[in-house]
Amino acid sequence: MSIRKDVVEPSVKLFEGERWLVITGILGFILAAGIAVYIFFQGSIILPEGNLGDAFSFNAAIGIFILSIAAILPLARLGDKKRKTIRWLFIISSLYAYAIETIQNFRGFNPRFSREGSVVDMIGGMLFGVFSLILVILAVLLTIQFLRIKFPFERPLLLIGIRYAFISILVANFAGIWMILLQDRFTGDMGNIIVLHGIGFHALQTLVFPGWLLEKIQLQDQMKNRLIHYGSIAWMLSIIVIAIQTALGRTVFELTTLPIISGIFLLVWLSTVIVASVHFIKNWRTNTLRTNSITPNQG
């Protein structure tokens, strides 16, 4: 995953050609916003099993995940047919996930592991599992595709962040399969698999965003390379520690050895993002000053 100095100039744009994926992602935020308003006035619990707080967080999470996929899919170097197939599988799976999560929680049933619902509710939950597996398969296919891309890279710093992000997503998908097998999100005394699942998926933002920042700033290539690798590796190590803590049946929100180690790794990742952000802001200010100084002279 090293960066060479003779890379080609960036040409592929984020989100290019992915209008329907973008719309699907935005729909998740619209649903989450509507649920938030309902919770404000009516509360989140609907008996016997419904929890609108879960529906709110799920729809928002799927929304940001699909928007992230829409952003990076143009960089995957897929043929038109493969890209179209992957796009619509993501869209169909997401729409079903939005529908089952929202409708079932409003009806008062757990959309995945209902113990109070009818046979129809259980079938809906099983289909939820099927569509979840489709998302897992799509993520694996994209992981393989991004790892197979050979030099010259389109937007190399961004590509490195994407590669690390998809490795993190693989861990998140294993957590999802873990929940399906357990028919629950909890393990042991206090372990909550959904935390590992959610944090793993957020790598599409936390590791891709620094790559986007770094490609925009004036800095030595070696320093950019170190920042993206150090930050991404620290994130991955944090995910691994969280997975171990969860497997032990312990919560990641306790002040014991493993959560503290995970927090330290996250601080390392955060420090690389801060460094990249500071340089980005400095470059933006410099460019703004240059533009303002040139414009009056041209007049």
Side-chain angles (χ1 to χ4, degrees):
M1 294 188 188
S2 61
I3 300 175
R4 290 169 54 176
K5 293 184 178 180
D6 55 338
V7 294
V8 297
E9 289 296 321
S11 59
V12 179
K13 296 180 180 179
L14 300 180
F15 299 103
E16 188 174 23
E18 297 301 336
R19 179 180 63 177
W20 290 109
L21 271 177
V22 170
I23 292 172
T24 303
I26 292 173
L27 177 60
F29 290 106
I30 294 173
L31 288 170
I35 292 170
V37 173
Y38 183 93
I39 290 174
F40 180 79
F41 289 104
Q42 301 292 332
S44 62
I45 303 300
I46 298 180
L47 297 176
E49 301 173 311
N51 188 338
L52 295 179
D54 290 342
F56 165 80
S57 59
F58 178 86
N59 287 331
I62 291 294
I64 194 169
F65 172 70
I66 293 300
L67 281 177
S68 300
I69 291 295
I72 65 174
L73 195 57
L75 280 74
R77 293 188 182 179
L78 291 166
D80 290 341
K81 289 184 178 179
K82 288 184 179 179
R83 183 172 168 180
K84 183 178 180 180
T85 300
I86 287 176
R87 175 190 303 129
W88 284 103
L89 284 174
F90 269 120
I91 290 173
I92 292 169
S93 299
S94 300
L95 291 177
Y96 181 82
Y98 288 149
I100 193 74
E101 182 76 24
T102 304
I103 292 171
Q104 287 298 84
N105 274 298
F106 268 105
R107 292 181 64 235
F109 297 110
N110 187 315
R112 299 172 186 81
F113 316 117
S114 179
R115 293 181 173 85
E116 300 289 340
S118 65
V119 174
V120 174
D121 297 308
M122 294 177 184
I123 292 174
M126 287 189 287
L127 284 175
F128 201 169
V130 171
F131 280 106
S132 297
L133 288 175
I134 291 174
L135 291 176
V136 170
I137 293 170
L138 291 175
V140 171
L141 292 176
L142 284 179
T143 301
I144 295 170
Q145 178 64 22
F146 276 108
L147 291 175
R148 288 177 59 190
I149 295 176
K150 298 180 180 179
F151 182 85
F153 302 139
E154 297 283 357
R155 311 184 71 167
L157 290 162
L158 201 57
L159 181 62
I160 290 174
I162 291 170
R163 285 175 166 180
Y164 277 113
F166 272 107
I167 295 172
S168 178
I169 287 173
L170 286 179
V171 177
N173 282 328
F174 282 126
I177 295 171
W178 187 2
M179 286 189 288
I180 291 173
L181 294 176
L182 288 178
Q183 290 290 290
D184 203 345
R185 65 175 61 182
F186 298 104
T187 182
D189 294 331
M190 301 178 66
N192 191 344
I193 306 170
I194 199 70
V195 176
L196 174 64
H197 185 66
I199 293 177
F201 271 110
H202 279 302
L204 271 179
Q205 299 84 51
T206 59
L207 302 186
V208 175
F209 178 65
W212 180 83
L213 286 175
L214 288 168
E215 71 177 7
K216 305 261 180 209
I217 65 179
Q218 298 296 323
L219 199 64
Q220 290 183 349
D221 289 345
Q222 188 177 19
M223 180 58 69
K224 289 182 179 182
N225 196 13
R226 287 177 178 175
L227 285 171
I228 191 68
H229 279 293
Y230 290 171
S232 298
I233 291 171
W235 177 272
M236 291 303 306
L237 291 173
S238 177
I239 292 291
I240 292 171
V241 174
I242 290 172
I244 294 172
Q245 177 77 353
T246 304
L248 293 173
R250 305 292 298 274
T251 176
V252 298
F253 301 109
E254 62 182 19
L255 290 178
T256 54
T257 303
L258 289 178
I260 290 173
I261 292 174
S262 177
I264 291 172
F265 284 133
L266 286 178
L267 287 176
V268 173
W269 161 79
L270 181 60
S271 67
T272 63
V273 177
I274 292 173
V275 171
S277 300
V278 168
H279 282 283
F280 178 83
I281 293 170
K282 285 182 178 179
N283 284 8
W284 177 77
R285 288 178 176 176
T286 300
N287 292 335
T288 301
L289 290 174
R290 286 176 181 173
T291 302
N292 291 337
S293 64
I294 291 173
T295 303
N297 293 333
Q298 290 178 337

